[in-house]
Amino acid sequence: MLKGKIALVTGSTSGIGLGIARRLAAAGADIALNGFGDAAEIEKLRSGLAEEFGVRVVFAPADIGKAAEAAAMVGAVEKQLGRLDVLVNNAGIQFVSPVESFPVEKWDAVIAINLSGAFYAIRAALPGMKARGFGRIVNISSAHGLVASKEKSAYVTAKHGLLGLTKVVALENAELDLTCNAICPGWVLTPLVQEQIDERAAKGGISVEQAKRELLGEKQPNLRFATPEDIAEAAMYLCGPGSRAVTGIALSVDGGWTAQ
Ligand code: NAD
């Protein structure tokens, strides 16, 4: 379905981003990976994807929280793969603390990576997409883009802001075949969430399994973690031809979290 399209997925060396990159590659898109990690591991991912799906795969390194690096990343992908059709803004970090003790540098980092990073990449990708009259932009927000939880002020602020940015980009490009949508995942068992589970287990003196049950029980009515593949299917829908009339939405994949 995406044969001949070029897709960049930020934060695709792990978790949800990697799941999305795999899904888009399986649909025939050439892929630009981005994210942190061991160089040899990343090269293994890159060559593995290319071989498994028979598509071109490049690695476009950048700290997405830095405007110049994000713009250079988009430019490098356009140069190496010819253009950019699909941009998935997925890179993100978490930090948990009450507001009054939330370290300012952690606030700045979460806002830079989870919110400004998407703006930097979109800003750099739009001229090419507009010139060709085609684009698919998918922003990975969160259930925390729609509702809040305690101790996640920066994350909740960034993810709410990302939904605002999604709507503006959708409106500005609505007359083209250029959509911008967001996905709002609930709990997905990735390194980002495993860290929160481990902290909860350590703090409460409970087992990791018990911490997982508590986490799900508090928020996610289906009592199951979503998988990166579940989120990737939603991304595939928003990048594929069946969603041409869909723009500016927040698509929840959250096991009922925000239905409560
Ligand atoms: P993860 O920690 O497994 O992956 C994060 C990815 O982002 C990694 O590839 C990492 O290298 C990359 N990254 C981090 N900082 C970066 C930076 N400055 N520049 C470029 N890349 C950077 O986390 P995940 O759970 O897969 O999260 C992916 C996205 O999904 C995030 O935006 C997160 O907020 C969102 N999300 C996750 C969940 C969940 O339950 N896991 C729920 C809702 C939303």
Side-chain angles (χ1 to χ4, degrees):
M1 268 205 296
L2 295 182
K3 204 159 177 46
K5 298 282 189 245
I6 316 284
L8 164 62
V9 184
T10 69
S12 47
T13 52
S14 165
I16 293 171
L18 180 56
I20 293 173
R22 288 184 57 80
R23 183 66 187 89
L24 301 184
D30 291 328
I31 301 293
L33 297 169
N34 157 269
F36 298 146
D38 176 70
E41 285 298 315
I42 293 174
E43 174 50 26
K44 224 164 89 185
L45 273 182
R46 190 204 64 74
S47 56
L49 266 185
E51 198 175 315
E52 185 175 351
F53 298 109
V55 295
R56 292 184 295 165
V57 184
V58 300
F59 176 58
D63 177 343
I64 196 72
K66 296 190 171 137
E69 288 191 29
M73 167 190 72
V74 170
V77 174
E78 289 174 334
K79 203 165 165 204
Q80 289 178 71
L81 295 178
R83 58 179 197 282
L84 182 58
D85 303 305
V86 174
L87 169 65
V88 181
N89 291 301
N90 164 81
I93 58 168
Q94 177 62 283
F95 191 82
V96 180
S97 169
V99 171
E100 66 274 21
S101 55
F102 208 98
V104 170
E105 63 278 10
K106 293 291 184 192
W107 169 276
D108 289 344
V110 172
I111 299 294
I113 295 165
N114 295 19
L115 176 58
S116 303
F119 165 70
Y120 302 145
I122 291 170
R123 185 176 182 280
L126 272 177
M129 289 181 174
K130 286 176 97 151
R132 291 183 301 278
F134 178 88
R136 295 285 178 269
I137 299 172
V138 178
N139 296 323
I140 306 303
S141 178
S142 168
H144 284 119
L146 297 164
V147 295
S149 294
K150 294 178 199 168
E151 303 193 349
K152 294 185 174 173
S153 53
Y155 189 86
V156 167
T157 300
K159 294 299 188 182
H160 274 68
L162 192 53
L163 294 186
L165 176 65
T166 300
K167 292 175 193 171
V168 174
V169 175
L171 291 181
E172 288 185 5
N173 297 285
E175 291 179 22
L176 305 172
D177 187 8
L178 200 172
T179 66
C180 181
N181 293 292
I183 298 173
C184 296
W187 292 125
V188 185
L189 197 52
T190 66
L192 183 137
V193 167
Q194 188 63 49
E195 208 175 294
Q196 295 172 63
I197 292 167
D198 293 344
E199 255 179 53
R200 188 182 189 117
K203 253 194 206 160
I206 56 174
S207 70
V208 167
E209 282 313 308
Q210 178 63 19
K212 279 184 186 170
R213 277 195 293 275
E214 285 184 16
L215 209 75
L216 289 168
E218 273 171 13
K219 302 282 186 188
Q220 195 144 303
N222 70 350
L223 301 179
R224 293 187 300 275
F225 288 99
T227 62
E229 291 72 29
D230 291 328
I231 311 306
E233 281 307 322
M236 182 59 220
Y237 166 67
L238 293 173
C239 295
S243 63
R244 284 183 59 191
V246 177
T247 197
I249 69 157
L251 176 55
S252 288
V253 185
D254 67 2
W257 181 324
T258 53
Q260 299 170 96

